Amino acid sequence: MPQGDKSAYTDKQQRKAQHIEEGYEKRGVSQEEVEKRAWATVNKQDGGGKKSGSGRAGKKKD
């Protein structure tokens, strides 16, 4: 997956990013900065795109 590819994100994450972008656009932020900030926010809140693979469920404490 090339850098910048948003296909790994869920529909909910994409909607969230779009909503964040709209808020920044209303404030007059440049389009390039709007997109960077929106996806950075989604990544910070949700930890990135779809996750899969073994060991993703969390670590058990003994």
Side-chain angles (χ1 to χ4, degrees):
M1 173 173 40
Q3 187 173 3
D5 184 16
K6 305 298 186 233
S7 64
Y9 291 89
T10 65
D11 290 339
K12 182 178 179 180
Q13 289 170 318
Q14 290 178 1
R15 286 192 309 271
K16 185 186 290 189
Q18 181 63 35
H19 182 71
I20 294 167
E21 285 179 7
E22 290 170 2
Y24 280 123
E25 286 172 353
K26 288 180 184 178
R27 298 180 194 174
V29 178
S30 72
Q31 183 60 37
E32 184 178 346
E33 186 66 19
V34 161
E35 189 171 339
K36 286 180 184 179
R37 289 183 186 186
W39 287 106
T41 303
V42 170
N43 286 334
K44 181 159 182 134
Q45 291 177 348
D46 297 342
K50 296 176 187 171
K51 305 287 194 232
S52 64
S54 63
R56 302 286 321 162
K59 299 188 179 202
K60 292 183 179 181
K61 294 183 179 180
D62 290 332

